[in-house]
Amino acid sequence: MPSKPAPIKKAAKKEPAKKEEEKAPEPAPEPEPAPAEAAPAPAEEAAPAPAEGEAAPAPEAAPADGNTHGSGLSLAFTFSTHILYFVCFTEPTSAPLDLFVEDKNDTSVTIIWSQPEVIGVSGLDGYTIEICKEGTEDWKAVNEDLQKSCRYVIKNQTTGDRLKIRVVAVNEGGRSPPVALPEPVLVKEVADRPKVRLPRFLRQRYVAHVGDKINLTIPFTGKPKPVVSWTKNGEPLDTKRVNIRSTDRDSILFIRAAERDDSGVYEMSVKVEDFEDKASLTLQIVELPGPPASVKIADVWGFNVALEWTAPKDNGNTEITGYTIQKADKKTGEWFTVLEHYHRLNATISDLIMGNTYKFRVFSENKCGISEDATVTKDEAKIQKTGIDYKPPEYKEHDFTEAPKFTTNLSDRATTVGYSTKLLCSVRGSPKPKIEWMKNQMIIGDDPKFRQICVQGICSLEIRKPGNFDGGVYTCRAKNDHGEAIVSCKLEVKQKKSTHSK
């Protein structure tokens, strides 16, 4: 008896399953999961088979009206929704994009890539980088923790190995499809042809003065680090004179204090494996030249002298640009420049003074300047007179001595009490006469009330703020070895006019 309800329950459940197949597409966007989810429903119902001695389940579990289709449909819909939620929110990302090698050397490989195009709601937890040697499929992850950025350096590899590399994106949904490099990567430094980048100012002759500090930086490129070497005129450098300091990007030639022996052609070579590049620079150390080897007077005629000289033995390690010629009169011994920046080895000096005797000297010039010393002519050039005898006329010496004589007399004056006044006259005489002023025949002397001045024969007497008793006869007397002269005037001092108001 207990076995009979099971088939009925089973048969009764088949109809809801068919109806669920029709109704399942309504809540779910995809029609396939609904039939699949409906199938477990009969199995679930069939699973708890009643054991012997137990009451048959379920007549009371069914609805009161005897309709079991509604409950089966709701159970199938709930289970289908959970399955869809799990599928949508735990799906892996798509494969990462654009994987390629950024750099590599003898022990490591640097790769970069772009994030997946489709990430999904679960997001992206990181990346796993896997490698295996060429010819095997033994893939191994090289990062213990998930890599967050889209760049990774695969370190501690063996030089010469060929590695296959792939990257997998990881999230809650699991691993994405991998993105792999199309070809295995050889673990070896990428050889970049070396190239010397000689600065433009070093492509021509580099000129410096003796004693200057030389510090020249020459950049270069190349990978791996090029081997740098220097030579001077084809020979190894003298390390006591020249210091070389090289880095991964440039090489520096340093001379603390340049000497003329440091001049020459310096060649720099950079080498990477079988590739090599060279560049040369010409260094010229210059200084002031020496004086001309010799200077001589070739000819003298009229007011002219012809000079000739030879180039200096020491040109200062650069070309001679000119000469400076100077002359000196034997009487004064002072040197005067007559020609500057003169390029020839001979010159004619003109406009010399007749009767004078001259010496000449010549300086050398180069781009550093004029030589410190000059070469002087051994002989002297005397400008002869042309046969004209000059006889100066004889003049009788004139006697300019004379007794004093007033050329301008004193004039009578009137002044007011308290207002200063001045008396003027002029006198001549040789030798210069002595001037004395008198008042009423009494010598005034150094009385501070009076100020006496005599300049270039103009004599003045200033009476400062005269009073009632300063009027009288004033006399000026001029006296020298040849005589004397006197001139007088009368000074009247008036009272101030008082103004009375009515």
Side-chain angles (χ1 to χ4, degrees), residues 44-204:
E44 272 185 16
E45 294 297 326
E52 292 182 2
E54 291 182 359
E60 51 271 22
D65 56 358
N67 183 15
T68 60
H69 294 277
S71 62
L73 181 61
S74 62
L75 178 64
F77 176 75
T78 302
F79 187 73
S80 174
T81 303
H82 287 310
I83 293 298
L84 286 174
Y85 177 86
F86 179 79
V87 170
C88 292
F89 288 93
T90 59
E91 185 179 357
T93 70
S94 62
L97 304 174
D98 304 327
L99 175 64
F100 63 91
V101 177
E102 182 187 48
D103 194 12
K104 64 176 183 174
N105 55 32
D106 290 340
T107 59
S108 67
V109 178
T110 303
I111 58 174
I112 59 175
W113 61 92
S114 301
Q115 67 179 12
E117 184 176 2
V118 179
I119 294 178
V121 180
S122 298
L124 177 64
D125 295 337
Y127 301 93
T128 298
I129 295 88
E130 299 175 341
I131 63 172
C132 76
K133 293 185 178 180
E134 185 182 25
T136 69
E137 292 298 327
D138 185 16
W139 291 94
K140 295 180 180 179
V142 295
N143 56 323
E144 296 180 1
D145 300 327
L146 292 179
Q147 176 69 11
K148 301 298 183 182
S149 66
C150 295
R151 183 180 185 274
Y152 189 79
V153 181
I154 306 172
K155 300 180 179 178
N156 303 322
Q157 300 302 309
T158 303
T159 303
D161 283 355
R162 290 185 175 274
L163 301 179
K164 294 188 289 183
I165 302 173
R166 69 185 185 186
V167 178
V168 177
V170 180
N171 68 359
E172 290 182 1
R175 292 162 54 93
S176 72
V179 59
L181 292 175
E183 298 291 337
V185 178
L186 177 63
V187 181
K188 188 177 180 182
E189 183 82 31
V190 178
D192 186 10
R193 285 179 177 269
K195 180 67 177 178
V196 179
R197 307 290 183 182
L198 192 66
R200 180 168 298 180
F201 74 96
L202 292 178
R203 296 175 189 174
Q204 300 176 350

Side-chain angles (χ1 to χ4, degrees), residues 70 106 118 236 363-364 423-424 464:
D106 290 340
V118 179
F363 293 88
S364 303
L423 305 178
L424 294 172
R464 300 173 177 175

Side-chain angles (χ1 to χ4, degrees), residues 152-463:
Y152 189 79
V153 181
I154 306 172
K155 300 180 179 178
N156 303 322
Q157 300 302 309
T158 303
T159 303
D161 283 355
R162 290 185 175 274
L163 301 179
K164 294 188 289 183
I165 302 173
R166 69 185 185 186
V167 178
V168 177
V170 180
N171 68 359
E172 290 182 1
R175 292 162 54 93
S176 72
V179 59
L181 292 175
E183 298 291 337
V185 178
L186 177 63
V187 181
K188 188 177 180 182
E189 183 82 31
V190 178
D192 186 10
R193 285 179 177 269
K195 180 67 177 178
V196 179
R197 307 290 183 182
L198 192 66
R200 180 168 298 180
F201 74 96
L202 292 178
R203 296 175 189 174
Q204 300 176 350
R205 185 183 303 270
Y206 184 81
V207 180
H209 293 180
V210 170
D212 286 355
K213 183 186 294 185
I214 308 298
N215 193 357
L216 304 177
T217 302
I218 296 90
F220 59 81
T221 58
K223 201 173 182 183
K225 179 182 178 181
V227 177
V228 183
S229 60
W230 285 83
T231 60
K232 176 190 173 184
N233 298 329
E235 300 292 333
L237 294 180
D238 181 4
T239 55
K240 295 180 180 179
R241 291 288 314 147
V242 183
N243 294 323
I244 299 296
R245 296 194 293 270
S246 298
T247 66
D248 294 343
R249 296 179 296 179
D250 54 40
S251 185
I252 300 174
L253 183 145
F254 179 77
I255 302 175
R256 188 172 301 277
E259 298 179 359
R260 287 176 61 173
D261 292 340
D262 295 324
S263 301
V265 178
Y266 291 78
E267 186 176 70
M268 173 183 171
S269 172
V270 290
K271 188 173 183 180
V272 175
E273 297 179 354
D274 296 332
F275 304 107
E276 184 178 14
D277 190 30
K278 296 180 179 181
S280 61
L281 63 94
T282 301
L283 184 61
Q284 183 178 5
I285 309 301
V286 300
E287 61 181 341
L288 294 175
S294 63
V295 178
K296 68 176 182 179
I297 298 174
D299 193 9
V300 179
W301 74 99
F303 305 100
N304 309 300
V305 173
L307 297 177
E308 292 180 356
W309 59 91
T310 56
K313 295 179 180 179
D314 180 11
N315 62 1
N317 201 31
T318 184
E319 62 178 352
I320 298 297
T321 57
Y323 299 92
T324 297
I325 300 95
Q326 295 182 342
K327 69 177 180 179
D329 187 354
K330 188 176 181 181
K331 293 179 181 179
T332 62
E334 296 181 4
W335 291 96
F336 298 93
T337 300
V338 292
L339 291 174
E340 286 184 300
H341 314 304
Y342 190 78
H343 298 283
R344 299 182 182 179
L345 295 176
N346 54 75
T348 299
I349 312 302
S350 304
D351 299 329
L352 301 176
I353 299 175
M354 182 176 58
N356 288 0
T357 301
Y358 293 92
K359 298 190 86 173
F360 301 89
R361 65 181 184 185
V362 181
F363 293 88
S364 303
E365 298 178 43
N366 65 6
K367 63 178 61 179
C368 293
I370 191 171
S371 61
E372 296 179 350
D373 300 322
T375 303
V376 184
T377 55
K378 296 179 180 180
D379 301 328
E380 297 177 343
K382 184 174 182 180
I383 307 303
Q384 299 292 339
K385 296 180 180 179
T386 57
I388 300 176
D389 294 331
Y390 176 72
K391 292 182 180 181
E394 295 181 359
Y395 297 100
K396 184 179 180 180
E397 189 174 352
H398 182 71
D399 184 10
F400 290 96
T401 60
E402 63 174 333
K405 180 181 178 182
F406 283 95
T407 57
T408 303
N409 295 326
L410 292 173
S411 300
D412 294 340
R413 292 184 66 85
T415 185
T416 305
V417 174
Y419 290 89
S420 299
T421 186
K422 187 181 290 185
L423 305 178
L424 294 172
C425 64
S426 61
V427 66
R428 74 181 186 187
S430 182
K432 182 179 178 181
K434 180 181 178 182
I435 305 300
E436 289 180 335
W437 286 89
M438 295 178 290
K439 174 188 174 185
N440 299 328
Q441 302 301 315
M442 299 293 293
I443 297 176
I444 294 175
D446 296 330
D447 189 340
K449 189 175 183 66
F450 302 93
R451 184 183 181 193
Q452 305 174 40
I453 299 174
C454 186
V455 178
Q456 297 292 330
I458 307 299
C459 303
S460 65
L461 176 66
E462 182 180 359
I463 305 167

